[in-house]
Amino acid sequence: MKSLCVYCGSSIGDDDAYAQGARQLAAEMVSNSISLVYGGGNVGLMGVIADEVLRLGGQVTGVIPQALMDKEVGHTGLSQLHIVKNMHERKAMMAELSDGFIAMPGGVGTLEELFEMFTWSQLGFHQKPLGLLNIAGFYNSLLDFLQHTVNAKFLKAEHLALLYQQEDPAKLILDLQQAKPLALHKWVKQNDL
């Protein structure tokens, strides 16, 4: 695993533990020679993790739409910054550049990105591992709800198992490095991936 896409908030949230978790994840990534791919912002947890990876000597690639660059929320000190036309291009490029995905605490944008990659994994469109960094129990309610979707027969247990979750960044990275994805569904053509 050479790169991880990290989805996270453009806010730092109401608990110092979130920023501390971002810095811990950055340290684990750098110590494992894993580069950061993220949304290119200089605000919130996005800015915290990017700045920490850079401070520790790691590589950071940002992908940001022109409209957000124009609002001056783009990070200008990255190893690489790709400016794209829209959010669709942003998400596609981030996925292409990454060997796996982690969602840290964040809002609906973070959840939307997480669930898109989760859905694509479930459908066999990619076989890259996906995890939640559950800092200070931030995702406990979401995990309970996802278990409810399994119990209600809207999600298969083996598909829920595609989503790793840990409170410790080192354990989450290890889980993702050791992940064994489901075999691709036979109806997915190789050129659709």
Side-chain angles (χ1 to χ4, degrees):
M1 181 170 292
K2 295 180 181 176
S3 61
L4 277 171
C5 179
V6 176
Y7 304 123
C8 56
S10 58
S11 168
I12 59 168
D14 67 349
D15 189 331
D16 292 340
Y18 304 142
Q20 182 59 31
R23 287 188 284 273
Q24 290 171 349
L25 177 58
E28 289 299 326
M29 290 175 67
V30 172
S31 71
N32 283 278
S33 300
I34 298 171
S35 65
L36 170 66
V37 176
Y38 85 119
N42 63 5
V43 295
L45 294 180
M46 296 173 72
V48 171
I49 192 167
D51 287 342
E52 188 68 3
V53 169
L54 291 168
R55 187 184 75 77
L56 296 171
Q59 296 292 307
V60 180
T61 299
V63 184
I64 192 167
Q66 183 66 57
L68 293 179
M69 251 340 255
D70 293 344
K71 290 183 179 183
E72 299 181 353
V73 297
H75 198 305
T76 57
L78 304 177
S79 310
Q80 289 186 313
L81 180 63
H82 300 278
I83 301 173
V84 296
K85 286 190 266 185
N86 55 49
M87 294 293 281
H88 295 293
E89 285 187 19
R90 178 196 216 181
K91 291 187 296 179
M93 182 176 282
M94 289 167 68
E96 183 181 321
L97 294 172
S98 304
D99 297 324
F101 309 93
I102 290 177
M104 288 179 37
V108 293
T110 300
L111 292 172
E112 187 267 337
E113 291 167 322
L114 165 71
F115 278 105
E116 183 170 59
M117 288 303 105
F118 192 8
T119 301
W120 290 5
S121 179
Q122 177 185 347
L123 294 174
F125 291 149
H126 74 79
Q127 292 189 302
K128 298 176 182 182
L130 176 67
L132 289 174
L133 185 55
N134 192 17
I135 300 168
F138 181 82
Y139 282 115
N140 287 351
S141 296
L142 177 63
L143 292 165
D144 289 344
F145 177 75
L146 289 173
Q147 184 57 55
H148 170 68
T149 66
V150 171
N151 297 343
K153 306 292 187 215
F154 285 103
L155 179 65
K156 293 179 180 177
E158 61 264 29
H159 290 155
L160 180 55
L162 294 170
L163 182 62
Y164 294 86
Q165 70 90 20
Q166 292 282 353
E167 291 184 34
D168 181 330
K171 290 179 181 177
L172 183 57
I173 287 176
L174 185 61
D175 284 348
L176 298 184
Q177 288 172 325
Q178 296 176 346
K180 291 185 170 75
L182 290 178
L184 288 175
H185 298 287
K186 292 178 182 175
W187 48 267
V188 176
K189 297 176 188 164
Q190 189 65 32
N191 61 357
D192 290 336
L193 301 177

